[in-house]
Amino acid sequence: MKKPTANFKRCWILSTLLLSAFTFIGRRAIASPPEKTTEKEELLVLPGEVGRRGERLVVSLRGEPKTLNPLISVDTPSREVIGTMQADLVHINRATQLTEPALAKSWKISPDGLRYTLVLRRGLKFSDGYPMDADDVLFTFRLYLDEKVHAPQRDLLIFDGKPVSLQKVDSHTIVFQLPKPYGVMERMFDGWAILPRHLLEKPYEEGKIAQVGALTTPPNQWAGLGPFRLKEYVAGQRLVLERNPYYWKTDAKGNRLPYLDELVFLFVPSADAQVLRFQSGETGVISRLGAENFSVLARDQKDYAMVDAGPGLEYNFLFFNLNDLGEKAPPEMIQKQKWFRDLKFRQAVSSAVDREAIVRLVYQGRGAALWGLVTPGNRRWADEKLPHPPRSLEKARELLKEAGFSWGVPGNGDSWLQDSNGKPVEFSIIAQSSSSERSKMAALIQDDLKQLGMRVQVVPLESRSLLNRVTQTKQYDACVLGAASYDADPNSDINVWLSSGGLHLWNPSQAHPATPWEAEIDRLINEQMYASTFEQRKKLYDRAQEVLAENQPMIFLVSPNILAGAKNTIGNFHPAVLEPYVFWNVEQLYLKNGTENAAR
Amino acid sequence: MRYLLRRLGHALLLLAGVSVLTFLFTALAPGTYFDEMRMNPQIGPETIAALRAQYGLDKPLPLRYVFWLSSLVHGEMGFSFAYNSPVAPLLVVRARNTLLLTITSTLLAWAIALPLGTWSAERMGRLPDRLLSLGTAMLLVIPDLALALGLLVLAVRSGWFPTGGMASVGFETLSPFNKLRDVALHMILPVTALVLSTLPLLFRHVRAAIADILDAPFLLAALGHGIPKRTLLYRYALPAAANPLISLFGFSIGMLLSGSLLIEVVMSWPGLGPLLLEAILARDLYVVIGGILFSTFFLVGGNLFADLLLYWADPRIRTESNAQ
């Protein structure tokens, strides 16, 4: 009886009048879709290949989604599923990396950059047939902004401590008022799933919003604006979605999308098992593939084709512990930090690391060497002027010499590097044991640095322990880690750039920038955030990338390619380098000549 | 009756002990569920602190244990951070699948090990016995994981069996008979892997126990009385050898259970294994504690069952406990 229902008000009156048993029946009756509205639908017409209706597509997810509720989801499987069930106001096209109209058919930005006026499409309906209007948008953002809801994305709507505010102009027009101009502009609307007020208002008022959208929710109690809707969930096994008949997009010929009747997610606990399922033909699409599995699958492409979409937005890097550890730090660590803080030392390490070898050996060539945070996959924002110095041990040795380092007794076979006090240069690199790629990178770096006479140990650590050390206890020398921007826009990495950011990993959450160059980066990043034109922002952002490269607090290594595969029978399969790599156009995916893809 | 109560008391004590220890150990493990969020550029530290407080992670450990106990009494077994729901329902669904796998494998393994061991013991030292010993010794040294992977390769290459999972896509549309067939087909590989991994041990114990008893004077006397060999073996030798085997039965349930957690992950069987693994990696504390407690519960239950069997099968225990 706690479940949200279609028409809360009527229901509430009923329940005050009638016995609870009758209420239940009453709710049931109301929960059916309301009568058809006569309002003309303004559908979005998608260009591109026209497909064929019907069939079912089966795909595997690594791990089980935890929730269908966009307000609380953080894990990858949940977000992948939610992405196919929900829609946003303005959407970033994953292929072009540019914005395009979605639920909002148009938007206007006031000249001062503070007011965004969005006009909704007419005739929009949730997947349960219930009409959607401006009130749903207001309600949605009220939830995202409510501190008690703990929406993880909430911070993106707060500018200098002040939240964005919304006003309804009419049932199809909403004004977003920003406290400050924001350079990201309409891109900021991407990813905010518009939620059904008619289902969520009651649980929200009862303070139970975090509990709704569990996978066990009955299908008629859950709705979204995405191409698919909930049909069945079997714990530990699969999630079945069905076509949303009210979806607001059509193809070039006017056929309503999506093409697929059903989308089935199988929960498969390991990457290797995913490959097996794909090989045996049980699943039709595979994504988030490692390079090794990709090569295995690529060897024997008969029924399926593998696609290498090029470098994504993930960047892997090495960084040293530059935290201010205070007086409690052990003398050994103070000694080490003296090296780490020396720019020439970091530059020498960067110069000695063979990035191409990492690409070749760790990713079998399916990756791009990296000299900055913005990967080549990010076409609009990567700084082309950023220098790509080739690997040079000579230059590294020269830099070390300049910094006062020297090599121990030569002629002893192996000569080890020592600092100006005669202390041997010795440190450890921690890496995630769960990521074989990053462990391998650390091992290759160990080898590269050995050639400079540095004694490096690689310490594989379980992921949480590693993060605990890096962000909490700060007991580490150096670390190999990776991060992925969730959008091409620079602001998605803001916590890495800003010295006050939690992901400013080498020295996170600083009260004041510890170095002049960190202050410079802070200034550049803050300025670009509120700059109004792309050209201005790009110029500032390029400069920030250059300052970062000059100072090498992060020694960038490699960006892996986005790898995926699909059966030959699947049409419109075009993996992108932005998440969700293969399902960004799920409404357009179709099966060419079906039967063989149906269930066994 | 006293015997039963005492055993039950032991079992409860064990469960309580395990719960305290797992609580302690999971708390000692570095990192928490929310650490991964720190790596998410979209989530601010204040939000994470608020979430930690919401789930009571900022409270001292003994207090958390008391909270957990009270939620156990309410049948919730704590709250999963990842699923945002009580732990018990999450576990119950998956525990059913794990039990299905484990019970089937246990019964099957014993159904094979008993006659095979007896048969082999009877031919002690002859060629069939030696071949069986060699075969089981080889099976014994192959790790479970290799066995499971080998079977999976077979499934992919031949296409005879599904490569994992518990049901086909479109399961809900099948007729009841076909549903049964479908699940059975999906069970073949994991059950085979589990049976093959425990069979050698069981076989060797059965064989040794029977061989021991075959030399007993009462059997030689019976043989002298002209009782047929088969009757002798199955009616007299087997019950006499049952005592150590029943203890082993309880033990084998535990073995299969821990084996099945691994097999489940490899073969993507929707049991406790994958859930537990994911929860451990994600530090979803209460799911880990709940999962371990469930496994302990099965183990203790299996042993309790074995103790009962022993009570029924061995008159010595009956008289001993009645005399007390």
Side-chain angles (χ1 to χ4, degrees), chain A residues 158-170:
Chain A
I158 313 289
F159 304 87
D160 275 1
K162 274 182 249 130
V164 62
S165 68
L166 280 79
Q167 291 132 35
K168 175 178 162 184
V169 177
D170 60 49

Side-chain angles (χ1 to χ4, degrees), chain B residues 36 156 181:
Chain B
E36 191 82 7
V156 173
R181 224 194 65 177

Side-chain angles (χ1 to χ4, degrees), chain A residues 64 66 155 282 462 464, chain B residues 33 44 94 163-164 278 283:
Chain A
E64 205 169 331
K66 307 294 179 289
D155 303 329
E282 275 176 72
E462 193 271 327
R464 308 264 157 172
Chain B
Y33 174 77
R94 291 165 180 84
T163 47
E278 205 182 349
R283 299 277 191 285

Side-chain angles (χ1 to χ4, degrees), chain B residues 230-248:
Chain B
R230 177 174 305 214
T231 322
L232 196 73
L233 267 179
Y234 291 97
R235 190 182 289 171
Y236 298 106
L238 208 52
N243 205 332
L245 293 185
I246 288 175
S247 302
L248 183 66

Side-chain angles (χ1 to χ4, degrees), chain A residues 241-259:
Chain A
L241 304 184
E242 65 181 356
R243 185 175 183 273
N244 169 9
Y246 305 103
Y247 195 53
W248 42 275
K249 290 186 190 175
T250 71
D251 65 12
K253 280 203 178 143
N255 304 311
R256 197 185 281 261
L257 295 170
Y259 292 125

Side-chain angles (χ1 to χ4, degrees), chain A residues 64 66 72 79 150 152 155 232 236-238 269 276-277 280 282 462 464-465 467 472 486 492 495 503 599, chain B residues 32-33 36 38-39 41-42 44 47 50 54 82-84 94 156 163-165 169 172 265 268 270 278 281 283:
Chain A
E64 205 169 331
K66 307 294 179 289
I72 55 165
R79 288 171 50 146
H150 299 302
D155 303 329
E232 190 204 11
Q237 300 189 42
R238 65 183 180 277
L276 280 177
R277 295 282 186 104
S280 69
E282 275 176 72
E462 193 271 327
R464 308 264 157 172
S465 331
L467 291 179
Q472 305 296 302
Y486 61 88
S492 82
N495 282 321
L503 288 177
Chain B
T32 68
Y33 174 77
E36 191 82 7
R38 288 181 215 281
M39 275 304 286
Q42 290 177 285
T47 314
Q54 190 193 349
Y83 287 86
N84 236 293
R94 291 165 180 84
V156 173
T163 47
V169 178
E172 64 283 353
V265 173
S268 33
E278 205 182 349
L281 291 179
R283 299 277 191 285

Side-chain angles (χ1 to χ4, degrees), chain B residues 127-236:
Chain B
L127 188 66
D129 173 51
R130 286 189 175 192
L131 281 180
L132 271 174
S133 294
L134 186 74
T136 49
M138 275 167 62
L139 271 179
L140 203 58
V141 295
I142 301 177
D144 294 3
L145 187 67
L147 211 62
L149 288 177
L151 286 171
L152 272 182
V153 170
L154 179 82
V156 173
R157 287 284 143 86
S158 68
W160 296 335
F161 306 107
T163 47
M166 187 174 165
S168 301
V169 178
F171 182 74
E172 64 283 353
T173 59
L174 298 176
S175 67
F177 172 74
N178 280 334
K179 275 186 180 171
L180 207 65
R181 224 194 65 177
D182 189 56
V183 173
L185 196 68
H186 280 82
M187 275 175 75
I188 290 179
L189 283 189
V191 166
T192 310
L194 281 175
V195 167
L196 285 183
S197 66
T198 40
L199 186 62
L201 193 83
L202 302 186
F203 165 79
R204 296 189 146 239
H205 272 94
V206 171
R207 177 173 166 273
I210 300 277
D212 239 19
I213 220 87
L214 277 182
D215 289 334
F218 83 93
L219 275 180
L220 292 177
L223 198 64
H225 277 98
I227 297 176
K229 194 97 184 245
R230 177 174 305 214
T231 322
L232 196 73
L233 267 179
Y234 291 97
R235 190 182 289 171
Y236 298 106

Side-chain angles (χ1 to χ4, degrees), chain B residues 12-320:
Chain B
L12 285 177
L13 220 60
L14 188 67
L15 279 174
V18 166
S19 81
V20 172
L21 282 182
T22 42
F23 222 88
L24 213 62
F25 286 140
T26 45
L28 283 177
T32 68
Y33 174 77
F34 302 102
D35 280 349
E36 191 82 7
M37 286 190 186
R38 288 181 215 281
M39 275 304 286
N40 186 335
Q42 290 177 285
I43 308 176
E46 298 84 16
T47 314
I48 295 174
L51 277 170
R52 281 176 62 99
Q54 190 193 349
Y55 289 110
L57 277 185
D58 50 352
K59 304 259 179 347
L61 195 62
L63 202 62
R64 265 155 56 194
Y65 187 67
V66 173
F67 282 151
W68 179 77
L69 277 185
S70 89
S71 100
L72 182 68
V73 173
H74 289 99
E76 290 192 338
M77 303 184 78
F79 206 77
S80 159
F81 310 140
Y83 287 86
N84 236 293
S85 80
V87 170
L90 289 174
L91 289 173
V92 169
V93 186
R94 291 165 180 84
R96 267 198 327 237
N97 299 337
T98 295
L99 273 186
L100 176 68
L101 204 60
T102 324
I103 290 177
T104 316
S105 313
T106 310
L107 293 182
L108 203 66
W110 278 97
I112 298 173
L114 271 182
L116 206 65
T118 316
W119 186 76
S120 184
E122 194 201 338
R123 287 162 185 73
M124 184 76 94
R126 289 179 16 211
L127 188 66
D129 173 51
R130 286 189 175 192
L131 281 180
L132 271 174
S133 294
L134 186 74
T136 49
M138 275 167 62
L139 271 179
L140 203 58
V141 295
I142 301 177
D144 294 3
L145 187 67
L147 211 62
L149 288 177
L151 286 171
L152 272 182
V153 170
L154 179 82
V156 173
R157 287 284 143 86
S158 68
W160 296 335
F161 306 107
T163 47
M166 187 174 165
S168 301
V169 178
F171 182 74
E172 64 283 353
T173 59
L174 298 176
S175 67
F177 172 74
N178 280 334
K179 275 186 180 171
L180 207 65
R181 224 194 65 177
D182 189 56
V183 173
L185 196 68
H186 280 82
M187 275 175 75
I188 290 179
L189 283 189
V191 166
T192 310
L194 281 175
V195 167
L196 285 183
S197 66
T198 40
L199 186 62
L201 193 83
L202 302 186
F203 165 79
R204 296 189 146 239
H205 272 94
V206 171
R207 177 173 166 273
I210 300 277
D212 239 19
I213 220 87
L214 277 182
D215 289 334
F218 83 93
L219 275 180
L220 292 177
L223 198 64
H225 277 98
I227 297 176
K229 194 97 184 245
R230 177 174 305 214
T231 322
L232 196 73
L233 267 179
Y234 291 97
R235 190 182 289 171
Y236 298 106
L238 208 52
N243 205 332
L245 293 185
I246 288 175
S247 302
L248 183 66
F249 176 76
F251 180 66
S252 76
I253 293 179
M255 241 169 54
L256 276 167
L257 200 68
S258 60
S260 93
L261 294 189
L262 176 84
I263 301 284
E264 279 172 11
V265 173
V266 177
M267 304 220 169
S268 33
W269 183 265
L272 287 176
L275 182 75
L276 207 53
L277 178 70
E278 205 182 349
I280 290 170
L281 291 179
R283 299 277 191 285
D284 199 352
L285 294 184
Y286 298 109
V287 177
V288 176
I289 295 167
I292 292 174
L293 216 62
F294 256 71
S295 302
T296 320
F297 183 73
F298 292 152
L299 182 62
V300 168
N303 275 318
L304 208 62
F305 182 62
D307 284 338
L308 277 177
L309 270 182
L310 215 55
Y311 184 79
W312 168 77
D314 193 338
R316 280 172 298 181
I317 296 177
R318 251 174 295 172
T319 42
E320 194 182 300

